[in-house]
Amino acid sequence: MFTKAITRKPCKALVNGISTAMFGEGKPVYEDAVEQHDQYVATLRELGLEVLDLEADERYPDSCFVEDPAVVMPECAVITNPATDSRKGEKYEIVDAIKKFYSDDQIFHLEEPGTMEGGDVMLIDKTFYVGQSERTNAEGARQFAAIVAKFGYDVSTVPVTEGLHLKDFVIYLGNNDILVSAVMNDVPEFQKYNRFVVPEEELYAINSLNINGTVLTPKGFPKTQAYIESLGYPVRPMNTNEFRLIDGSLTCLSLRF
């Protein structure tokens, strides 16, 4: 059950955010991104979360994706170490927000040469699945595992061979249900879950977000939405088209705890 979230408003420099163009080509429109972000924050609040919405930071084009510079759980928060130079400073800027909810002895930091971004970290029950990607290396996963083990969590690493982050290609909905790409469907660690292979043309819809039983999904992907609804989840389609152009989606835009 989530009760709180941290978000950050998009900055005008968003148009220069990192993009693989995997989910769409072109530059986001700042004004539209602001409108979509406001609706996202409003939806989190409607679903019962207290949201700390941080001001935009023009120094970091991707800084609205607050999920990446930290990983939060009830017992502690881990400040990560983003892999790209343009994002490294975000780990310092998230600390004050984290300190509003966690004491100093609950906050941990990953150190060089370890790298990690929160988009590569997915929690199911007491197991963190950590993507080994261009953004998260083995040393980052090792440091993270040593921290969370103190609180009873296990860590399982998963290779990410497509796109940026693990959670672009596998997401946990709840009740043993996961959405996966065709590649992630073959990963041994995921065989014990109820898997739905999202059609290739709807891959962006994998990054859906369960908020206390209601699933937020990217708007415009009817097959995936119909499947989630068939499982009994109420669904709230959300327009994230501007963030899609810089490889961002629903989980990326908040830290939830």
Side-chain angles (χ1 to χ4, degrees):
M1 184 80 175
F2 297 128
T3 60
K4 299 176 178 64
I6 298 171
T7 59
R8 185 182 292 280
K9 299 178 189 299
C11 61
K12 293 178 181 178
L14 177 84
V15 297
N16 297 315
I18 299 168
S19 176
T20 65
M22 184 169 190
F23 298 118
E25 296 183 356
K27 295 278 190 179
V29 176
Y30 166 71
E31 291 79 8
D32 292 346
V34 169
E35 183 178 340
Q36 290 169 19
H37 189 269
D38 286 347
Q39 185 57 53
Y40 177 84
V41 171
T43 300
L44 295 183
R45 287 173 172 152
E46 287 172 19
L47 294 173
L49 275 61
E50 172 193 340
V51 181
L52 173 60
D53 191 21
L54 304 173
E55 290 303 314
D57 191 334
E58 294 294 340
R59 296 171 297 173
Y60 304 109
D62 297 284
S63 56
C64 59
F65 301 132
V66 292
E67 182 180 59
D68 289 323
V71 177
V72 293
M73 61 211 81
E75 301 88 350
C76 71
V78 179
I79 308 301
T80 67
N81 184 29
T84 56
D85 290 343
S86 66
R87 300 202 67 183
K88 283 205 180 287
E90 293 177 38
K91 66 184 178 183
Y92 304 113
E93 303 310 319
I94 200 67
V95 171
D96 284 347
I98 294 293
K99 284 185 174 181
K100 294 181 183 296
F101 304 99
Y102 295 89
S103 60
D104 288 346
D105 63 355
Q106 292 179 297
I107 301 173
F108 300 84
H109 298 258
L110 301 186
E111 305 291 344
E112 295 284 0
T115 63
M116 174 178 279
E117 294 181 3
D120 276 323
V121 182
M122 180 177 70
L123 178 62
I124 302 181
D125 299 323
K126 294 290 283 187
T127 297
F128 281 105
Y129 293 95
V130 176
Q132 300 288 267
S133 69
E134 293 183 1
R135 304 305 185 87
T136 299
N137 63 19
E139 174 60 17
R142 186 198 66 77
Q143 291 181 30
F144 180 77
I147 293 167
V148 300
K150 302 172 186 178
F151 304 99
Y153 293 93
D154 296 319
V155 168
S156 179
T157 57
V158 177
V160 177
T161 58
E162 49 187 347
L164 283 183
H165 291 136
L166 178 71
K167 283 189 289 195
D168 292 328
F169 304 102
V170 55
I171 213 75
Y172 182 59
L173 292 177
N175 302 314
N176 217 49
D177 300 319
I178 63 174
L179 305 178
V180 293
S181 67
V183 171
M184 287 297 172
N185 189 49
D186 293 331
V187 172
E189 288 84 351
F190 298 142
Q191 299 307 300
K192 61 187 174 181
Y193 300 107
N194 302 320
R195 304 180 309 283
F196 175 69
V197 181
V198 173
E200 185 173 357
E201 70 273 14
E202 292 199 1
L203 275 182
Y204 183 70
I206 289 175
N207 194 271
S208 295
L209 175 60
N210 187 328
I211 298 292
N212 301 336
T214 295
V215 177
L216 279 55
T217 63
K219 184 179 291 185
F221 301 95
K223 295 176 183 176
T224 306
Q225 180 177 336
Y227 173 75
I228 296 171
E229 289 172 338
S230 77
L231 296 174
Y233 297 101
V235 171
R236 295 280 293 270
M238 305 290 299
N239 185 354
T240 55
N241 284 344
E242 303 310 311
F243 303 104
R244 178 182 180 183
L245 296 174
I246 50 173
D247 292 4
S249 190
L250 290 160
T251 69
C252 318
L253 289 168
S254 62
L255 286 164
R256 306 154 300 277
F257 49 104

